[in-house]
Amino acid sequence: MGLELYNSLTRKQEEFVPLEEGRVGMYVCGPTVYGHAHFGHAKSYVSFDILVRYLRYLGYNVTYVENITDVGHLTDDADEGEDKIAKKAKTEHKHPMAIAEYYTRSFFEDMDKLNCVRPDISPRASGHITEQIDLVKTLLEKGYAYEVNGSVYFDVAKFKSYGKLSGRNIDEMITGTRVDTSPEKKNPADFAIWKKAEPNHIMQWPSPWGMGYPGWHLECSVMSMKYLGKTIDIHGGGMENKFPHHECEIAQSEAANDALFVKYWVHNNMVTVDGQKMGKSLNNFITLKQAFAGTHEKLTRQYDPLAIRQLVLNSHYRSPLDFSDAALFAAKSGYEKISSCVIEVRNRIKTATDGEVDETVGKTLEDLKEKFEKAMNNDLNTSVALSVLFELVRDTQKLLQDNKTNKQTLEAIDGLFSLLGGDVLGIVKDEYEQAGSVDNELMDKLVKILVEQRNEARKQKEYARADEIRKKIDEAGVVLEDSPNGTSWRIK
RNA sequence: GGCGGCGUAGCCAAGUGGCUAAGGCGACGGUUUGCAAAACCGUUAUUCGCCGGUUCGAAUCCGGCCGCCGCCUCCA
């Protein structure tokens, strides 16, 4: 069985078959860059990162496109009527492009820390204005759009399958609408693809219809078309964007191209913090930078970015995820359990004797790999995939209890950790900072002085003094661990 | 009100018709340790929001109810 994905369009889990054998074109709705990335971004982009990584693991040549929305649109219902980027630019006395650039860099920085592979192309909406104008022209020419007073609207009534993704029909939407609709529109369901700019609107461009700016939905249609073609294999995004954003993308693209826009629609679920919707007014809005640094009052400590990644993988991408401090702490403990096992295996490899890969171990590794792939093939069941990694940890730790395992067997184990835990899940690193690494050299020297003193006391059976030293070091945030091979330390 | 998603142990979370309801965290007991830590072993859901129904058999399918989350096009 190959990979199966849940397709939001058909509402069924389907076997994944790319349009062109061996190649996958994938487009993911990227962030609007007016603020630092938060937990919601973490869940979304880690989820799609897993999809890209797994497709590549399966041997597909993937082109991964994820846009940066730098022509502002409103994403926050608390602040109506103003472009988020323009608003930020005003309060910070900066050019909107400077705001966009600053938060774009911040976004990549955070995503790098979460170990998300960079998209192959990160197109900016502002860099594709001419293409967007061209699409508007095409839609006008084909009769799917109409111009009113410098704005251009998509004529929903002309596109018969409007609503196929979100399961809405136009008539119901009209009667059910709770807001006043623009008098410029023929039909309340029509949406702007080009908007006339008021003179004080900072971001505006010349067009055949006067100065203006593109409708939000337009950029994704244009950029996916430009880099991936008229029909793409996978389009990803958050569930909250199914309607209207993705629905409108479909309408524009299919009306313009007379071709299916997307074969598989993949939507990930939302996050909550302490069981509530994340929002600035609830004081539970936590950015990734705050989580990495432990500077938010809802968090008891700082969290390793990969522990946050692990929390995301602990649940399914289509399930909602609650970011509570307790959940983060549990993920951190689990993450460290895996890391310490991998580190120990790699340490043992250095001194292990040569030999053949143990037959029983080899068989177990094959079984685990198969189980892992089966889970991932089942609509990316990372929760089960992760449990396979924990099985590998348990089996490995048992094996490490004696010092008899040979080098080749240990290397095979490390290989599977690196492949499944590293390449696919992205929670096993190639290199770990060791206690004695360059970064920690001074720290290592200082701790060792204390360890020597304590071990001297232990030798003299002055345990009260030894325990006192250990307690003080512990209070400073360093844990000591005695073993037959000596005492090691790690940061709590 | 409409559309979509969800409700499984103290917490997080798989499982969507049938072997013992994964896994992680936490807790408790044991091995180990001078004592710890780490690691390992064991215990921790006769039961899957509630009530009915279908079936030889349901957490899993159907109906109803309760609760939670997202979206419902002025701008974006």
Side-chain angles (χ1 to χ4, degrees):
Chain A
M1 185 192 84
L3 172 62
E4 290 189 358
L5 286 175
Y6 180 86
N7 187 352
S8 306
L9 190 62
T10 57
R11 279 162 221 171
K12 280 197 295 260
Q13 188 164 310
E14 298 173 355
E15 189 186 349
F16 177 73
V17 182
L19 295 158
E20 194 184 327
E21 201 183 331
R23 303 180 72 88
V24 178
M26 172 163 158
Y27 187 94
V28 172
C29 284
T32 302
V33 281
Y34 66 93
H36 292 298
H38 51 68
F39 282 148
H41 294 106
K43 177 170 167 73
S44 180
Y45 299 117
V46 166
S47 298
F48 292 117
D49 179 58
I50 289 292
L51 178 53
V52 171
R53 284 166 174 266
Y54 191 59
L55 286 167
R56 289 185 176 146
Y57 170 88
L58 293 175
Y60 290 108
N61 183 342
V62 182
T63 304
Y64 174 24
V65 179
E66 184 182 300
N67 65 290
I68 297 289
T69 298
D70 58 358
V71 176
H73 67 265
L74 305 181
T75 56
D76 191 335
D77 55 8
D79 292 290
E80 288 190 318
E82 201 170 4
D83 177 314
K84 298 300 281 187
I85 295 175
K87 185 184 173 191
K88 196 91 180 178
K90 232 178 271 174
T91 55
E92 296 193 9
H93 301 290
K94 286 183 179 144
H95 192 279
M97 277 293 118
I99 296 296
E101 191 62 35
Y102 176 77
Y103 288 111
T104 299
R105 289 177 196 174
S106 166
F107 175 75
F108 282 129
E109 196 176 284
D110 293 343
M111 292 304 125
D112 286 349
K113 283 192 177 158
L114 287 175
N115 206 13
C116 292
V117 296
R118 290 267 182 121
D120 297 300
I121 305 172
S122 299
R124 272 72 166 171
S126 64
H128 298 75
I129 300 297
T130 47
E131 289 90 340
Q132 296 190 64
I133 289 173
D134 285 346
L135 183 61
V136 174
K137 278 189 202 161
T138 304
L139 291 169
L140 279 168
E141 281 162 17
K142 296 185 81 168
Y144 283 106
Y146 56 91
E147 188 210 336
V148 182
N149 188 28
S151 292
V152 182
Y153 295 95
F154 187 91
D155 193 345
V156 166
K158 295 270 170 60
F159 188 75
K160 63 278 160 218
S161 62
Y162 188 78
K164 69 176 175 180
L165 176 68
S166 54
R168 289 156 212 257
N169 77 59
I170 301 170
D171 299 336
E172 275 178 16
M173 282 188 285
I174 296 164
T175 51
T177 190
R178 60 171 182 190
V179 287
D180 297 334
T181 52
S182 165
E184 288 182 351
K185 293 180 177 181
K186 282 189 194 170
N187 187 320
D190 292 350
F191 55 94
I193 51 180
W194 186 264
K195 197 70 193 159
K196 179 186 180 176
E198 298 304 319
N200 61 350
H201 199 99
I202 308 173
M203 306 251 264
Q204 51 176 292
W205 291 266
S207 79
W209 318 283
M211 294 302 287
Y213 53 95
W216 166 38
H217 316 305
L218 208 58
E219 58 173 286
C220 291
S221 289
V222 160
M223 297 189 287
S224 69
M225 204 187 299
K226 176 165 181 176
Y227 299 110
L228 298 169
K230 289 179 178 175
T231 304
I232 63 178
D233 292 295
I234 298 171
H235 189 125
M239 245 168 54
E240 82 282 9
N241 280 334
K242 259 191 190 175
F243 188 87
H245 189 224
H246 295 326
E247 197 67 61
C248 295
E249 281 184 44
I250 292 174
Q252 293 160 354
S253 299
E254 298 191 352
N257 294 329
D258 297 312
L260 181 73
F261 176 42
V262 174
K263 199 168 176 195
Y264 302 94
W265 278 96
V266 179
H267 288 101
N268 70 281
N269 217 131
M270 314 309 291
V271 307
T272 52
V273 172
D274 292 332
Q276 284 184 299
K277 178 187 176 177
M278 192 167 70
K280 289 192 174 112
S281 56
L282 294 166
N283 194 33
N284 67 352
F285 186 90
I286 306 176
T287 67
L288 292 170
K289 284 183 166 52
Q290 287 172 326
F292 298 161
T295 53
H296 191 102
E297 63 178 53
K298 290 264 178 194
L299 303 179
T300 56
R301 67 186 64 234
Q302 61 185 70
Y303 288 102
D304 188 312
L306 293 192
I308 292 171
R309 184 178 172 96
Q310 177 147 330
L311 177 59
V312 173
L313 300 183
N314 187 230
S315 70
H316 191 90
Y317 74 90
R318 286 194 291 114
S319 302
L321 172 60
D322 186 44
F323 275 90
S324 62
D325 188 68
L328 279 162
F329 187 80
K332 167 193 138 71
S333 299
Y335 168 68
E336 285 168 356
K337 183 177 187 161
I338 295 169
S339 308
S340 61
C341 181
V342 175
I343 290 169
E344 187 57 24
V345 169
R346 291 177 185 171
N347 281 149
R348 294 283 186 96
I349 287 172
K350 292 176 196 158
T351 54
T353 53
D354 281 315
E356 296 283 304
V357 175
D358 183 277
E359 211 175 295
T360 317
V361 174
K363 179 74 174 61
T364 304
L365 295 181
E366 267 177 48
D367 291 347
L368 290 176
K369 191 179 172 200
E370 197 177 306
K371 196 172 167 186
F372 181 94
E373 289 176 0
K374 197 178 162 204
M376 291 299 285
N377 282 338
N378 183 19
D379 195 29
L380 306 176
N381 193 332
T382 51
S383 183
V384 171
L386 198 57
S387 80
V388 172
L389 226 55
F390 280 111
E391 269 187 68
L392 181 58
V393 167
R394 198 176 56 239
D395 292 346
T396 303
Q397 290 286 14
K398 269 189 244 180
L399 213 60
L400 291 174
Q401 301 227 317
D402 62 47
N403 262 316
K404 289 173 190 153
T405 312
N406 66 47
K407 191 177 172 182
Q408 281 63 27
T409 303
L410 290 170
E411 281 174 346
I413 292 170
D414 181 33
L416 197 64
F417 267 123
S418 300
L419 183 67
L420 306 184
D423 294 353
V424 181
L425 297 183
I427 50 168
V428 169
K429 299 191 207 179
D430 293 338
E431 298 286 339
Y432 286 90
E433 286 153 29
Q434 297 290 346
S437 73
V438 183
D439 290 349
N440 280 316
E441 210 176 328
L442 177 64
M443 179 79 159
D444 190 50
K445 281 181 189 164
L446 294 173
V447 174
K448 274 184 179 156
I449 292 168
L450 295 165
V451 166
E452 272 169 35
Q453 289 193 4
R454 173 168 167 270
N455 283 344
E456 193 54 40
R458 289 171 72 204
K459 220 178 271 174
Q460 308 297 323
K461 301 223 189 295
E462 293 171 22
Y463 293 121
R465 194 159 78 86
D467 289 350
E468 180 66 17
I469 293 171
R470 184 173 62 197
K471 193 177 159 221
K472 284 193 170 158
I473 297 176
D474 183 86
E475 281 165 4
V478 172
V479 182
L480 296 187
E481 292 175 0
D482 298 328
S483 80
N485 305 323
T487 303
S488 62
W489 65 271
R490 65 181 168 86
I491 292 167
K492 239 201 296 194

